[in-house]
Amino acid sequence: MYTQAMSVGPQDQATKLESVEDRQRNEAFESRIDEGDFIEAKDWMPEHYRKTLVRQISQHAHSEIVGMLPEGNWITRAPTLKRKAILLAKVQDEGGHGLYLYSAAETLGTSRDQMLDALHTGKAKYSSIFNYPTLTWADIGVVGWLVDGAAIMNQVPLCRCSYGPYARAMIRICREESFHQRQGYESLLTMMRDGTDAQKAMVQDAVNRWWWPSLMMFGPADKDSPNSEQSMRWGIKRLTNDELRQKFVDATVPQAELLGITLPDPDLKWNAEREHHDFGAIDWNEFWRVVGGNGPCNTERLQARVKAWDDGAWVRDAALAHARKRAPEARAA
Ligand code: BYC
């Protein structure tokens, strides 16, 4: 040991000392994780923990703002003033969620411009679900019921995420998502109870199209999920993709029965031994195709986001010019 230390040059020695220090800091970090402490922005954290959080939180933020598009598509066509007001509020909420999440990710040292640039150049991912079209008004109810329902199932455990700023953002987001899920379900109940046969068929058709993509929202099966193990170890994720998917299926089946619709899976049945529902095989080829940019609406969604960014350039420029004018130096001059 001693001779080895003698033989290293000054630079190597510094690296070595740094790595001993890093090791100690890492051990202290791991014990805080084990004790269930929240990690805060200014705390030391391993680079991989930071990168994992930036990846997950920024993807989540992108999903919120891309998620505004399929719903925004129906604001001008909502069937009543009440439904229009609800939908407007919901879409605004999603924009707000995006802002909380970008802010949480910024505390990790990545700027909003960098994150948006990654989205606009197609480098960043966002949820596969938002690459499917909303073809009828029933889709809006089904998105609220299934998509927001899946989102809450995934996001409630994130309120206990080990990174404080993300966990705190998620508390508010989950409260709002819960309202979104209920309004979607209530809108479907109205169509199924008081609607015409054509409206009921429209609900069933929307459920047929959204069921499988909703199950895909939870990500690949645990055995094919490269990030899960480390993220679980660090308390970034609290439940695995498969655990959350199963919880979602179990919670949704009785809701479907109450609605009077059929979930499009002949293999879906209660398994008394497991005390869970068994369900059919997910088409993972479709999932990876959509994640890889080749879903029904990927191009359209990205184009819409890039256009919104370009169209908003003058607003950002004006806000910056205004801020410069109000800066203390400018006022003193
Ligand atoms: N779509 O190792 P894995 C919402 C990627 S809800 C696209 O399991 P991880 C909203 C994954 O990123 C939706 N990509 O990853 C609801 C990874 O690729 P990279 C957003 C997906 O991170 C209603 C690779 O596949 N919610 O916003 O451990 C209205 C391997 O996966 C998907 C969140 O983002 C997918 N479905 O687990 C409006 C919640 N699934 O990054 C808005 C927070 C996986 O290595 N995020 N991939 O290149 C999470 O909980 C986790 O990131 C995931 C994935 C469960 C999504």
Side-chain angles (χ1 to χ4, degrees):
M1 286 284 285
Y2 187 66
T3 41
Q4 254 180 11
M6 292 286 282
S7 67
V8 292
Q11 211 178 342
D12 290 334
Q13 221 161 3
T15 318
K16 200 161 182 203
L17 281 177
E18 208 178 86
S19 73
V20 168
E21 216 174 275
D22 269 358
R23 219 173 20 250
Q24 282 165 350
R25 282 195 287 205
N26 196 47
E27 275 162 20
F29 171 85
E30 294 285 346
S31 355
R32 289 186 64 192
I33 294 277
D34 292 343
E35 280 157 23
D37 262 11
F38 281 117
I39 307 298
E40 296 297 337
K42 290 189 174 153
D43 295 344
W44 185 89
M45 60 186 81
E47 230 11 67
H48 186 193
Y49 178 81
R50 185 185 297 276
K51 282 198 181 133
T52 302
L53 281 168
V54 171
R55 178 183 64 78
Q56 176 165 326
I57 304 173
S58 63
Q59 283 177 7
H60 192 166
H62 299 327
S63 304
E64 296 283 354
I65 61 163
V66 176
M68 296 166 78
L69 299 170
E71 295 185 318
N73 183 33
W74 279 89
I75 291 175
T76 53
R77 292 177 287 163
T80 65
L81 184 59
K82 174 181 139 186
R83 295 290 172 200
K84 190 188 185 91
I86 294 173
L87 186 57
L88 263 174
K90 180 176 191 283
V91 173
Q92 279 179 350
D93 285 351
E94 315 293 5
H97 298 173
L99 296 186
Y100 312 149
L101 289 165
Y102 284 125
S103 301
E106 279 177 310
T107 64
L108 291 153
T110 302
S111 74
R112 195 172 302 199
D113 281 355
Q114 283 172 307
M115 291 184 263
L116 287 170
D117 184 61
L119 174 68
H120 297 155
T121 51
K123 288 188 206 120
K125 292 191 169 73
Y126 57 86
S127 184
S128 49
I129 195 75
F130 300 119
N131 292 306
Y132 292 86
T134 40
L135 301 179
T136 69
W137 172 251
D139 287 38
I140 296 304
V142 171
V143 165
W145 174 41
L146 295 180
V147 175
D148 288 275
I152 300 169
M153 196 55 89
N154 166 282
Q155 292 172 12
V156 166
L158 293 175
C159 300
R160 291 182 293 116
C161 165
S162 60
Y163 187 57
Y166 190 26
R168 289 190 288 275
M170 289 317 300
I171 293 173
R172 179 153 177 190
I173 292 177
C174 284
R175 287 197 187 127
E176 292 175 355
E177 293 291 13
S178 152
F179 157 74
H180 295 172
Q181 194 268 355
R182 284 180 206 191
Q183 69 77 34
Y185 192 67
E186 190 271 337
S187 136
L188 296 178
L189 265 182
T190 305
M191 275 191 270
M192 291 304 287
R193 287 187 175 160
D194 308 328
T196 61
D197 286 348
Q199 284 169 323
K200 291 177 191 168
M202 194 163 78
V203 174
Q204 181 65 60
D205 172 63
V207 171
N208 292 349
R209 285 180 288 105
W210 287 92
W211 174 248
W212 291 106
S214 299
L215 294 192
M216 292 175 197
M217 283 175 72
F218 297 94
D222 292 350
K223 66 177 174 45
D224 300 318
S225 161
N227 300 300
S228 277
E229 195 184 332
Q230 184 60 72
S231 289
M232 296 282 290
R233 165 79 199 84
W234 275 331
I236 294 175
K237 284 164 85 164
R238 296 287 180 186
L239 293 167
T240 71
N241 300 357
D242 285 336
E243 284 167 347
L244 289 165
R245 194 171 4 253
Q246 181 70 63
K247 273 168 80 78
F248 174 71
V249 171
D250 290 341
T252 309
V253 168
Q255 296 169 1
E257 277 161 17
L258 190 72
L259 264 184
I261 55 99
T262 309
L263 293 171
D265 179 359
D267 297 325
L268 185 64
K269 58 175 183 308
W270 178 249
N271 180 327
E273 207 174 302
R274 287 201 313 122
E275 298 198 349
H276 288 294
H277 290 87
D278 290 337
F279 53 95
I282 292 173
D283 181 351
W284 292 115
N285 288 333
E286 174 180 327
F287 171 75
W288 290 116
R289 206 167 46 243
V290 176
V291 173
N294 298 308
C297 300
N298 294 61
T299 309
E300 187 185 327
R301 299 288 184 247
L302 213 52
Q303 274 171 356
R305 284 311 321 162
V306 170
K307 182 174 183 314
W309 178 255
D310 291 345
D311 290 352
W314 70 271
V315 179
R316 292 191 299 278
D317 290 346
L320 283 173
H322 182 65
R324 270 194 300 273
K325 266 195 217 156
R326 290 181 61 89
E329 323 76 84
R331 269 185 290 174

